[in-house]
Amino acid sequence: FIFFYYFCFMKLKEFLEQNPIINNAQLARLMYPYNKSANTKLANKLAENISGSGRQRVTEADEEIAKKELEKLVHRIVSYISN
């Protein structure tokens, strides 16, 4: 549960930068399953690109969605390495 402690105190951008094994495009598809441009959406938020009336940012809601999806991955990894 080091992952939980590690991820609770950092932002998504920092976490992904420090863990390049996590594929941003795949995470984006899990986070925004109904968005055909999920990868671009997450990339723009992580880069804080200017769009429309301001910068795109990773919101608290985005952080929660990412944590939920990454927690699912943790469970699959633990299940795999436990067998």
Side-chain angles (χ1 to χ4, degrees):
F1 300 79
I2 294 169
F3 170 82
F4 180 75
Y5 177 81
Y6 183 63
F7 196 60
C8 283
F9 297 103
M10 68 172 49
K11 295 295 182 185
L12 180 61
K13 181 177 180 176
E14 182 183 3
F15 175 79
L16 292 174
E17 287 171 350
Q18 292 181 11
N19 295 280
I21 195 166
I22 305 292
N23 182 292
N24 292 5
Q26 293 299 327
L27 178 59
R29 287 186 191 101
L30 294 171
M31 289 175 65
Y32 314 113
Y34 302 108
N35 187 325
K36 291 182 182 180
S37 303
N39 183 32
T40 302
K41 179 176 181 170
L42 182 59
N44 286 337
K45 285 179 173 234
L46 292 171
E48 295 186 0
N49 289 336
I50 296 174
S51 176
S53 62
R55 292 192 181 274
Q56 294 188 31
R57 300 189 190 278
V58 176
T59 65
E60 288 297 320
D62 295 319
E63 294 274 353
E64 290 304 315
I65 293 167
K67 288 178 183 180
K68 178 180 169 187
E69 294 303 330
L70 290 167
E71 188 171 2
K72 290 178 189 176
L73 176 61
V74 168
H75 290 296
R76 290 192 299 266
I77 291 170
V78 169
S79 177
Y80 173 73
I81 62 176
S82 297
N83 291 325

